[in-house]
Amino acid sequence: MTISPILNVAVGIILAALSFWLIFALIPNNINQLSSENDISPSLFPTLSAWFLLGLSSVLITLNGFKLRNRDSRNLDKAFILILLEAIICLITAAAIYLLLPLAGFLIVSGALIVLIALVTRYKNYWMIGALALFMPLVTSQVVWIVFQVNLP
């Protein structure tokens, strides 16, 4: 299945807009910019990630823009509806995670997400699904505490 360059350009534009919003609105307004001596600013890694997202989305737009020059615009892919439906499902899932994380906590939401991904991908080893859903959130929360000394919600 090939993905339409038009869809790639549209996704690149959306990701570029998201990265601009992260860089100029969300990160400066919600993450402390100041750092103490011998420490890095808490906003460093989120800002670097947002700039990295902006760079990759620019590459996506540029490369697929060149493909559009050499392609007939009437010949759109038939998989556009399926890709759009998948993107909508991913957005709904991300919104549910965003809303449930403060209510249920990291351990429950990440365990449920692991089970959901395993079911969607038709993974059949139920013992492994249960073990991953139980141990991965616990290990992740402990590693985050040991390395960054941050409690996950």
Side-chain angles (χ1 to χ4, degrees):
M1 176 184 344
T2 59
I3 298 174
S4 171
I6 294 173
L7 181 63
N8 282 334
V9 170
V11 168
I13 291 170
I14 291 169
L15 290 175
L18 176 68
S19 63
F20 276 115
W21 177 67
L22 288 170
I23 292 168
F24 297 111
L26 187 69
I27 294 171
N29 292 334
N30 294 306
I31 299 177
N32 188 8
Q33 303 291 323
L34 302 174
S35 63
S36 61
E37 188 177 335
N38 298 328
D39 277 343
I40 59 173
S41 172
S43 66
L44 175 68
F45 290 112
T47 305
L48 284 177
S49 299
W51 280 106
F52 192 67
L53 176 64
L54 180 62
L56 289 177
S57 61
S58 301
V59 169
L60 186 66
I61 293 168
T62 305
L63 292 179
N64 286 284
F66 287 130
K67 286 182 185 177
L68 281 176
R69 286 180 153 183
N70 302 330
R71 189 170 181 183
D72 185 14
S73 63
R74 293 172 294 162
N75 191 13
L76 296 176
D77 293 331
K78 295 175 185 173
F80 179 77
I81 299 296
L82 293 174
I83 294 169
L84 185 63
L85 181 65
E86 182 180 337
I88 290 170
I89 291 171
C90 287
L91 285 173
I92 291 170
T93 305
I97 291 169
Y98 179 77
L99 295 173
L100 289 174
L101 201 55
L103 298 174
F106 173 77
L107 296 176
I108 293 172
V109 172
S110 59
L113 184 62
I114 290 171
V115 170
L116 177 68
I117 291 171
L119 293 176
V120 167
T121 58
R122 297 182 182 146
Y123 189 66
K124 298 289 185 198
N125 190 343
Y126 299 112
W127 287 102
M128 184 63 75
I129 294 170
L132 285 173
L134 180 65
F135 292 117
M136 284 305 296
L138 291 172
V139 169
T140 302
S141 67
Q142 291 302 313
V143 168
V144 166
W145 173 251
I146 290 169
V147 173
F148 300 110
Q149 280 143 15
V150 172
N151 277 328
L152 295 175

